[in-house]
Amino acid sequence: MNDESFRAVDHSAVVAPGLAGVVQRTIIKGELPALIVVHDDEGDWLIGDGVNDPNEDGACGIYHLGHVVSLDASLAEVMNLPIGYAATRESKLSPWEISPWEYGD
């Protein structure tokens, strides 16, 4: 093997420079996979684990989406979601399902 085979892949190229989103810390820490990605009607990006309440104090932070994609390359598949759509999956190995998104009442 040569050094070329160990070169890291830069998945951040699928994300606009400086683009950030609200991401659950369980995903950043590698404790749980991302199971929901929302590109809401205001253009904000939200990435959740689908298990824990993202509204709990300290559950989420603002992170550069390129960094998040570098932690889980499968997120690159949904970084082109149109505004007002969400992608969900059952597990890290499941395919993403895309559907319109609206906040509940």
Side-chain angles (χ1 to χ4, degrees):
M1 301 192 134
N2 59 33
D3 291 345
E4 192 75 334
S5 61
F6 292 104
R7 186 173 44 141
V9 177
D10 182 10
H11 296 288
S12 64
V14 300
V15 178
L19 185 62
V22 177
V23 183
Q24 281 187 281
R25 288 195 166 93
T26 53
I27 296 165
I28 296 298
K29 293 177 182 177
E31 297 170 354
L32 291 170
L35 299 181
I36 182 166
V37 177
V38 176
H39 194 188
D40 74 9
D41 60 351
E42 295 180 354
D44 296 322
W45 287 90
L46 315 163
I47 302 177
D49 62 27
V51 176
N52 297 293
D53 184 351
N55 297 308
E56 292 286 324
D57 284 343
C60 296
I62 307 290
Y63 297 93
H64 181 265
L65 294 182
H67 175 69
V68 181
V69 170
S70 72
L71 297 173
D72 180 353
S74 68
L75 289 167
E77 298 172 31
V78 295
M79 287 292 104
N80 62 349
L81 278 175
I83 289 177
Y85 279 78
T88 57
R89 60 184 175 177
E90 294 293 318
S91 74
K92 185 171 181 161
L93 300 176
S94 301
W96 290 104
E97 296 180 22
I98 311 298
S99 60
W101 172 263
E102 289 185 15
Y103 287 107
D105 291 330

